[in-house]
Amino acid sequence: MSPKFLFLQQFIRHPRMVGSVIPTSDIAIHALLDPVDWQDVRCVVEYGPGTGVFTRRILERLGPDARLIAIDTNPMFVSHLRQHIADPRLICVEGSAADVEAILAREGFEAVDYIISGLPFSTLPPAVADDIAAATARAIRPGGQFLVYQYSRFVLSRLEANFANVAQGMVWRCIPPARLFWARKGNEAGAALSDAESLAVA
Ligand SMILES: C[S@@+](CC[C@H](N)C(=O)[O-])C[C@H]1O[C@@H](n2cnc3c(N)ncnc32)[C@H](O)[C@@H]1O
């Protein structure tokens, strides 16, 4: 089955979980990943990889000894990734982003450099969205970042509540236009002052 057909099929079966009818466009993927410094990255987590459009682009940027832990609740997507991306740096986990800390502990990591989210925050139950934002802030090392792409600003308040600094961007040249967020964890534990910046993107 083609990745696009699998994506559409899973959206029809689980609209709130998948949250979009088509995978993210390559323009939005590069716009989110390009501003990040990928040197010296040891471990990255991806939430909601789906058919792997971001996964492949993250792997292109990662060094040979780094690890990418991709977590998705949908077993069809996890099995698709395991079959179609043969890369020893990729660890595919069937589970929820809300359990990121337990998943990291199981894989032998205390904290990660970046977490990249494709989760449909606006269609998740609010308590789950809150739990994921808080667990993510705990799982990222001081100075690390939570990178998020969405089609609305819904997630912003959760980012500002958990991260020291939130930069925003917008990609107009994709359908629908994508909102991008780079939320940085403060260097001191507990720092949560919001300092919103705006980046002009694409
Ligand atoms: C909008 S799709 C994004 C897919 C892909 N990253 C892309 O950009 O095309 C959302 C993905 O999040 C997954 N998902 C939804 N809730 C989740 C959760 N609590 N934990 C992990 N993955 C979840 C869905 O199964 C789906 O793969």
Side-chain angles (χ1 to χ4, degrees), residues 35-37 113-114 137 140-147 159 162-167 181-187 191-193 197:
V36 167
D37 179 5
D113 300 292
Y114 300 119
I140 293 175
R141 67 162 167 79
Q145 290 187 62
F146 186 29
L147 315 185
L159 297 178
N162 288 282
F163 290 87
N165 176 287
V166 183
F181 303 90
W182 297 264
R184 183 180 296 278
K185 180 164 170 175
N187 283 318
L193 290 175
E197 297 169 3

Side-chain angles (χ1 to χ4, degrees), residues 7 10-11 14-25 29 46-55 70-75 77-78 93-99 116-121 123-125 128-129 132 149-151:
F7 201 92
Q10 293 305 305
F11 173 76
H14 313 283
R16 293 175 75 84
M17 193 207 291
V18 176
S20 164
V21 280
I22 46 166
T24 306
S25 78
I29 295 171
E46 182 185 4
Y47 294 159
T51 51
V53 287
F54 262 91
T55 317
I71 305 171
D72 205 300
T73 39
N74 186 316
F77 287 144
V78 174
V93 177
E94 183 185 330
S96 172
D99 299 323
I116 295 151
S117 172
L119 301 178
F121 270 98
T123 58
L124 294 178
V128 173
I132 291 174
Y149 54 99
Q150 294 282 281
Y151 299 113

Side-chain angles (χ1 to χ4, degrees), residues 103-116:
I103 292 168
L104 285 176
R106 209 164 60 219
E107 298 298 336
F109 290 94
E110 266 177 33
V112 293
D113 300 292
Y114 300 119
I115 297 184
I116 295 151

